[in-house]
Amino acid sequence: MISWLYMEHRTRMEREGHTFKTYVIQWFEVLDGLLGKKWKHVGLAFNCAYLLFTAITQLIACGSNIYLVNDDLSKREWTYIFGACCLVTIWIPSFRNYRLWSVFGVITITYTSWYTTVSALVYGQAPGATHDGPNSLVLYFTGATNILYSFGSHAATVEIVHAMYRPVKFKYVYLFATLYIFTLTIPSSMAIYWSSGDALLENSNALSLLPKSPARDVAVLLMIIHQFITVGFAVTPMYFVWEKILGVHQENNMLLRASCRLPIILLIWFLAIAFPFFGSINSVVGCMLVTFTVYIIPCLAHMVYFRNSSMRAPSVEKPPFFLPSWTAVYMVNIFVILWMVAVGIGFGGWASIITFIKQIWDFGVFTACYQCPQTS
């Protein structure tokens, strides 16, 4: 739905004589161009909040993972260091500069996922491992919202589409990418749960449950690189928004643009240190932001924009072969919206907020070492 609406907006703008050599189209501008200012403000609010917390969780994860390799420093101290490293993202102009990094990110996550799968099977079940699953509705729906977050992309869809030389092909690329991700997430999740069991309910980092070894250290380091790249993916659209607010988005002076971007990454750095609750933040983001940004708003916007036959007839995109009519497309959109409202926002929101508040009570803000062993 997002790429469909993007192509509709871009085609219209190009027919009016606009060019995009130095300008990056973003999701809120697609909503503005097709549906008006109110949609723009709603899309902008949810998208920026989603990107903000995605960057925060990935920065937290960097500190959490490197602690498995070297625990001489606390997770908070490692987050200080990685936050400083993430300052380099202010110098990366656009998503086209991430092409090589994207490929490397796929390689890193592939190794880490298959290491997790193989090592869990090789080491076998931990002594006393149980497999009762979530024993309360809070844990069940917290997990459900984590799944929503995992498969909800990173709210940078339009910026990635815009970076492609043939944006119309994005939907195929995204489909195959998602299928590939299934080959990484499903085997590793099943294997590590078989191996560690319900210990995963109280531990946000599955790698910490595997025995320390050189192969695990490599997996951890590669995962950190992947998360560092993901921080860049999340903050770059926020940089674009901030540049447009300040009126410097199309400036050639990269020093000026980098200086303007600095407050964004400093805010993310501060919040990552203050609230290092990786799993529970994922849950809150999944139920309150992913549901709207990735599912509800795109589906609803698509239905509203194409509600009249006069708009459907000249549509740049057409219903796919597996949904051969507009009625079928509408039915799928309605199902997605209702499902997200009930499961994601309703039950998921209730569970994730309870979990997040409990984490604050248990660990406090600015905790030095979230979910560290008691002996450390």
Side-chain angles (χ1 to χ4, degrees), residues 318-350:
K318 301 298 179 184
F321 71 91
F322 52 87
L323 294 173
S325 69
W326 285 93
T327 301
V329 173
Y330 265 64
M331 292 300 293
V332 172
N333 280 340
I334 292 171
F335 173 79
V336 170
I337 292 170
L338 293 177
W339 179 269
M340 290 300 155
V341 169
V343 176
I345 300 171
F347 291 108
W350 162 74

Side-chain angles (χ1 to χ4, degrees), residues 53-65 75 79 142 145-146 149-150 154 200 203-207 223 226-227 230-231 271-286 352 355-356 359-360 363 367 369-371:
F53 283 101
T54 296
I56 289 169
T57 55
Q58 296 305 314
L59 182 52
I60 293 169
C62 287
S64 176
N65 279 328
K75 291 182 181 180
T79 306
T142 299
T145 52
N146 267 301
Y149 178 85
S150 299
H154 293 300
L200 288 164
N203 199 305
S204 299
N205 194 333
L207 289 171
M223 191 66 195
H226 177 87
Q227 289 159 339
T230 305
V231 171
L271 292 175
I273 295 168
F275 302 100
F277 315 131
F278 182 79
S280 54
I281 289 179
N282 281 353
S283 298
V284 173
V285 173
S352 60
T355 302
F356 186 73
Q359 296 283 302
I360 294 176
F363 297 97
T367 182
C369 219
Y370 171 62
Q371 287 186 342

